[in-house]
Amino acid sequence: MTANESKLDSIIDEYNAEPGSLISILQDIQAEYNYLPEESLEYVAKRLDIPRVQVFGVATFFKAFSLKPKGRQQIHVCMGTACHVRGSKKVLEELERKLEIKAGDTTPDGEFTLETVNCVGACALGPVVVENEEYHGEMTPIKVESLLNSK
Amino acid sequence: MSQNSQTPRGEMVKIMLNGAEVQADPYWSLLEVIQFYGIDIPTLCHDEGLTPYGVCRLCVVEIGSGDKTKLVASCMHPVWEGLEVRTHSNRVIKTRKTILELLIARCPSSKKLQDMAALLELKEVRFEPLNDDCILCGLCVRMCEEQMVAKAIGFAGRGTDRYITTPFDMNSEECRKCGACMYICPVCELRCQGPQADTVLCSGCINTEPVCAPDYGDAMCFMVPCLSCVKGPEDVK
């Protein structure tokens, strides 16, 4: 079992098993496991005494939640207007080629997750790639290689 | 169906309904008042036994006077003293038709939507058909939760990716297979397989005078061409 029940209990008890705190609880679980394991959602529904479908609905509604395991390094490519006109599409294509995955997927070794986002609020630096909360501005397809090898 | 049945009924308020002064219970929704006075406006996501949801927007009416008018979904709108309501103004009819066009573009195979289109005399659908099988009206979700108390289905995803599903997209143990969701679904029933069954808009009955859909209700029209609705020359105005 991926989800440890005592760990989940401590997260849920922190919010007094309040159904209104569902989002906060899911955020903490996501921070713990990097994704939302199905068993943990079942357990949350049982503890908070709310329909399972409600937990599932919330978990799929927000982009911050993922039901699939994520890679250790999460790469977000900004596809906002400013980044787009400065060539973010080429950067994304280069990343997809290098990692051999499509945007939204995780590499089979669980190392990288590649995702697109619509704006990270750093338009002056575009095209922006965010790697584990770290911002890399003025990206080019050539800089992609050094970005992937830096860790 | 007052919003709060425990509260004693307040005094009746006076509202202007299509220019006529009528009395209304302030605990009713605007749609209930309109239906109480026998005015027929199309509804889709509304059901007497379920909480109003206000998503299909077909029950749209115009409120206010002068320059300050606005369109509201009557099923979710409260009633207050002096409210001015128009249920069939040009603006309302135009909006209602556009909403129905969007719904039909999403689900052209629904009999209920096609009948409604004939009644509203919808002549064309300007949007690209999606041929989906769900309009996300939420009737099945509310039916499951409120009448069947099963809470087996719900919405997942958001925006254009929103869909109705069971938890984790798997067979749900909460589901008793009662079929209430299919019973209430407005788009599960296939439309009449008449002469133009594969077009976006059927409007087969639109050419008959009067439109037969309200008289025949759930009956299917299989005639090529539909003859059951054609009245003799003496009936036609």
Side-chain angles (χ1 to χ4, degrees):
Chain A
M1 188 172 173
T2 29
N4 185 326
E5 278 190 12
S6 62
K7 198 167 259 173
L8 290 175
D9 271 330
S10 69
I11 291 173
I12 294 167
D13 289 336
E14 212 175 299
Y15 297 96
N16 300 322
E18 192 81 47
S21 307
L22 175 61
I23 294 175
S24 310
I25 291 170
L26 294 187
Q27 276 177 326
D28 286 3
I29 297 173
Q30 167 104 7
E32 183 72 38
Y33 296 103
N34 234 349
Y35 79 111
L36 296 173
E38 197 179 308
E39 303 90 328
S40 71
L41 295 184
E42 302 257 2
Y43 191 69
V44 167
K46 205 169 81 185
R47 279 290 316 270
L48 303 189
D49 197 20
I50 52 177
R52 290 191 307 150
V53 72
Q54 191 183 336
V55 181
F56 182 68
V58 170
T60 51
F61 184 90
F62 293 102
K63 220 181 166 185
F65 296 135
S66 169
L67 296 177
K68 284 188 286 185
K70 288 214 174 158
R72 279 178 288 280
Q73 294 190 48
Q74 292 177 31
I75 299 176
H76 298 269
V77 186
C78 180
M79 303 302 268
T81 315
C83 293
H84 174 80
V85 295
R86 297 177 74 165
S88 62
K89 206 172 168 209
K90 290 221 168 79
V91 176
L92 178 68
E93 279 167 5
E94 182 67 16
L95 277 163
E96 286 181 336
R97 208 166 18 243
K98 280 262 149 57
L99 297 174
E100 293 174 358
I101 51 171
K102 287 274 160 219
D105 291 345
T106 304
T107 49
D109 60 359
E111 188 62 29
F112 293 100
T113 293
L114 182 63
E115 270 174 353
T116 59
V117 287
N118 285 329
C119 190
V120 292
C123 303
L125 295 174
V128 180
V129 172
V130 186
E131 186 206 20
N132 284 352
E133 314 271 300
E134 200 182 313
Y135 283 58
H136 299 269
E138 288 164 17
M139 281 301 294
T140 59
I142 296 161
K143 286 190 192 169
V144 162
E145 177 124 43
S146 60
L147 174 78
L148 294 180
N149 294 334
S150 63
K151 292 272 161 68
Chain B
M1 273 202 303
S2 59
Q3 288 166 359
N4 189 346
S5 52
Q6 272 78 46
T7 326
R9 281 196 172 178
E11 282 183 17
M12 299 292 262
V13 293
K14 289 195 178 85
I15 69 164
M16 292 293 282
L17 184 56
N18 289 342
E21 190 182 275
V22 295
Q23 294 207 315
D25 190 316
Y27 284 92
W28 285 3
S29 75
L30 187 49
L31 179 67
E32 282 162 350
V33 176
I34 291 168
Q35 287 178 339
F36 178 78
Y37 285 103
I39 296 172
D40 195 24
I41 57 172
T43 58
L44 192 67
C45 73
H46 179 263
D47 189 275
E48 278 184 8
L50 304 173
T51 49
Y53 202 45
V55 287
C56 75
R57 315 308 280 186
L58 273 173
C59 64
V60 68
V61 293
E62 191 178 11
I63 60 164
S65 58
D67 296 337
K68 289 183 177 173
T69 65
K70 63 173 180 178
L71 297 170
V72 296
S74 59
C75 66
M76 299 284 281
H77 202 273
V79 181
W80 57 70
E81 180 74 35
L83 183 71
E84 277 190 42
V85 188
R86 281 171 303 285
T87 57
H88 286 80
S89 66
N90 285 340
R91 188 179 171 199
V92 170
I93 289 173
K94 208 176 149 197
T95 312
R96 206 175 271 158
K97 281 186 175 177
T98 310
I99 294 167
L100 190 58
E101 269 183 66
L102 285 161
L103 288 170
I104 289 189
R106 193 173 168 118
C107 283
S109 59
S110 156
K111 174 171 165 61
K112 198 161 184 179
L113 291 177
Q114 295 289 351
D115 284 358
M116 220 177 255
L119 282 176
L120 291 184
E121 298 186 1
L122 195 65
K123 298 269 163 55
E124 57 165 352
V125 172
R126 290 163 291 178
F127 306 100
E128 203 173 310
L130 270 180
N131 296 314
D132 209 329
D133 53 5
C134 179
I135 52 170
L136 300 173
C137 65
L139 275 172
C140 53
V141 175
R142 281 175 288 154
M143 186 72 163
C144 190
E145 182 177 340
E146 293 169 21
Q147 294 292 341
M148 299 302 150
V149 205
K151 298 175 185 170
I153 51 173
F155 289 103
R158 75 168 152 178
T160 50
D161 297 327
R162 203 164 186 233
Y163 64 105
I164 285 171
T165 186
T166 50
F168 310 106
D169 301 330
M170 287 189 289
N171 269 345
S172 158
E173 56 205 51
E174 290 96 337
C175 176
R176 301 190 295 262
K177 314 239 175 347
C178 66
C181 44
M182 289 194 284
Y183 166 75
I184 202 152
C185 177
V187 299
C188 280
E189 189 187 15
L190 279 182
R191 73 194 238 192
C192 310
Q193 299 298 300
Q196 295 163 320
D198 47 3
T199 52
V200 178
L201 194 62
C202 169
S203 65
C205 356
I206 211 169
N207 301 317
T208 61
E209 178 75 35
V211 171
C212 68
D215 297 333
Y216 288 87
D218 293 336
M220 281 281 180
C221 146
F222 292 104
M223 311 271 192
V224 188
C226 169
L227 296 171
S228 60
C229 351
V230 178
K231 307 257 163 109
E234 64 277 6
D235 299 325
V236 179
K237 275 179 242 142

